Amino acid sequence: MSANTIAAPARRERARLLPLAAVVFVWQAFVGIYFLSLVQQYLPQALHAGLAYSGYAMASYGIARFVTQAPAGWVSDRIGRRIMMLVGVAISVPALWLMMLVPDEKAFLAFSAILGIGAAVMWPAFMAHVGETTPHGRRNRTMSLLNIAQMAGLGVGTFLGVLLADYVTYGAVFWLCIGFNLLALVMVARGIDERPREPAPHERARQAADPLAWRPSVRVLAVIVLFLTLGTSLHTPMIGAYTHDVLRVKMSHMAVLFPLPAALAGFAFWRYSRVADRYGRMLPLVAGLFVAAMSIFALTLTRSPLIVVNLVVLAGLAYAISIPAWGAAALDATDAGSRGAWLGALAAVQGFGVAGGQALGGVIGGVWGPLAPFKIAALLLMVALILIVAHYRVQTQRRRGFVKVSNLSPALVPVISD
């Protein structure tokens, strides 16, 4: 077998993945600019709106996205993934243009809701497309790459937005957001191939025959992701108070300590990003949730900024490993004909968990102090872990029972269902 024959599948895989990662990077760069520069700076400074309006803008975006995601996913099952991706990105362009032309805080809230609808139309179709074009054995690797592109896009967008807002004009920030959306529109139109990839017969047989496979249903995944997102968002409103009141240092001091541990964690994440494809979805989820829970709880036991930075990086690494595994399990649990609707519903649950966790964390921190949300967040992550292990045990026992019955009378064995 020639080297060219061996390298051909790798080239095809890169050709498929790079446009997907590029779309995620560009779109998330726009999101980073929007939320940090426009919502948290432009709205209170240029429009002279009260500080509460920044929260209103985030809420209008989040509520519109929450309500729209499942119906938009259902529509993408009927009319196609690429057209819904194009519609979702295209909605944002006139919304941003009108937001720039109409400098009014109430209009800003309405346009923010339209941007939320655009994201709701875009993401379920995008994720369904990923599920239908990615082999079962490469889904976690693909989700890991998209997760990296997402975080990189948010970082780049936030950095550019802050520079433009502080040293140029807010008009430049708006035009950069519009430019990123137009670029994403071109990438979707020219770089996304909508033809689904059907699994080969030997892949179907291997999936069905794997006795250790964890095959959760959509309902189980929804419960897991609710506790997972609550656990990862509950403590976020208290980060500033934790840094100032508990560690007694400035955020800039913490930021100086981050680059080296973060770079090592990024290398480790990329090096072991195939673990869920090789050992199943459950192992990375359980290991990631356990390490994240222990790291978050350990933050309440130390006052050393250096130790805290390493614990935060470790929790982030564990989270970065567990989330692609959950995403790959979600793609495994959904069928092509209804994947958009179910992924939209799961995304809505995820968004509800993030918003609910942040709101609840602020209340808990205000009543019991900045350390309480960290302890409860660790507990919620452990609840998600216990749910995964319990479901796996029930599933394994059920499968063993069917195997025993099949040895007696194969004709009596029904199809195993979650």
Side-chain angles (χ1 to χ4, degrees), residues 49-355:
L51 293 177
Y53 267 86
S54 294
Y56 297 156
M58 292 182 182
S60 64
Y61 180 97
I63 292 171
R65 183 172 177 175
F66 173 77
V67 171
T68 315
Q69 276 187 130
W74 180 85
V75 173
S76 76
D77 291 333
R78 270 78 190 157
I79 69 173
R81 312 302 184 197
R82 184 163 63 173
I83 188 171
M84 288 298 284
M85 285 187 263
L86 290 170
V87 170
V89 178
I91 287 174
S92 302
V93 174
L96 288 165
W97 184 65
L98 290 171
M99 186 184 287
M100 179 175 58
L101 292 182
V102 183
D104 178 78
E105 61 270 20
K106 294 180 180 178
F108 190 100
L109 301 184
F111 296 132
S112 184
I114 295 173
L115 292 176
I117 293 172
V121 173
M122 161 71 178
W123 281 117
F126 180 87
M127 291 307 302
H129 170 78
V130 171
E132 288 156 11
T133 56
T134 306
H136 177 271
R138 295 197 186 107
R139 282 176 175 169
N140 190 77
R141 181 75 167 180
T142 299
M143 295 301 299
S144 298
L145 175 64
L146 297 181
N147 196 33
I148 292 172
Q150 182 179 24
M151 292 187 290
L154 283 172
V156 170
T158 299
F159 179 74
L160 292 176
V162 169
L163 287 181
L164 289 175
D166 289 346
Y167 298 106
V168 190
T169 64
Y170 282 113
V173 177
F174 275 107
W175 282 115
L176 185 61
C177 287
I178 293 172
F180 274 132
N181 274 272
L182 290 174
L183 183 57
L185 193 65
V186 172
M187 287 179 174
V188 172
R190 297 178 62 88
I192 301 294
D193 185 1
E194 196 171 14
R195 290 173 295 179
R197 178 200 177 278
E198 291 296 330
H202 70 277
E203 290 177 339
R204 292 197 191 97
R206 187 169 63 249
Q207 289 173 233
D210 184 1
L212 299 177
W214 180 56
R215 300 184 181 93
S217 65
V218 174
R219 295 187 300 274
V220 171
L221 285 171
V223 175
I224 291 170
V225 79
L226 178 61
F227 280 97
L228 194 155
T229 50
L230 284 171
T232 52
S233 61
L234 194 75
H235 58 285
T236 54
M238 291 294 108
I239 291 176
Y242 171 80
T243 304
H244 183 268
D245 299 337
V246 178
L247 300 181
R248 301 188 183 280
V249 297
K250 295 181 179 180
M251 291 290 289
S252 57
H253 177 69
M254 299 293 290
V256 172
L257 301 175
F258 264 102
L260 181 58
L264 293 174
F267 173 78
F269 172 67
W270 180 250
R271 180 69 178 82
Y272 297 103
S273 61
R274 297 180 182 178
V275 65
D277 291 332
R278 187 171 300 172
Y279 299 108
R281 314 304 187 209
M282 193 191 75
L283 178 61
L285 260 177
V286 170
L289 290 176
F290 180 78
V291 173
M294 292 299 99
S295 300
I296 291 173
F297 183 78
L299 290 174
T300 66
L301 305 177
T302 182
R303 300 296 182 269
S304 168
L306 182 61
I307 295 176
V308 166
V309 164
N310 284 277
L311 287 172
V312 169
V313 170
L314 184 60
L317 175 61
Y319 181 70
I321 290 174
S322 62
I323 283 297
W326 179 89
L331 297 181
D332 296 344
T334 51
D335 298 321
S338 58
R339 182 169 278 131
W342 285 120
L343 290 176
L346 288 173
V349 174
Q350 192 173 14
F352 176 77
V354 171

Side-chain angles (χ1 to χ4, degrees), residues 16-26 126 145-146 149-150 187:
R16 184 186 65 83
L17 283 178
L18 288 178
L20 296 175
V23 170
V24 171
F25 176 85
V26 170
F126 180 87
L145 175 64
L146 297 181
Q150 182 179 24
M187 287 179 174

Side-chain angles (χ1 to χ4, degrees), residues 308-398:
V308 166
V309 164
N310 284 277
L311 287 172
V312 169
V313 170
L314 184 60
L317 175 61
Y319 181 70
I321 290 174
S322 62
I323 283 297
W326 179 89
L331 297 181
D332 296 344
T334 51
D335 298 321
S338 58
R339 182 169 278 131
W342 285 120
L343 290 176
L346 288 173
V349 174
Q350 192 173 14
F352 176 77
V354 171
Q358 290 174 342
L360 190 60
V363 173
I364 293 173
V367 175
W368 287 294
L371 293 181
F374 288 84
K375 296 177 180 179
I376 297 175
L379 178 63
L380 291 172
L381 290 178
M382 290 300 294
V383 170
L385 185 155
I386 292 169
L387 287 173
I388 295 169
V389 174
H391 181 262
Y392 175 74
R393 288 179 62 87
V394 169
Q395 198 178 55
T396 302
Q397 291 172 359
R398 185 186 304 172

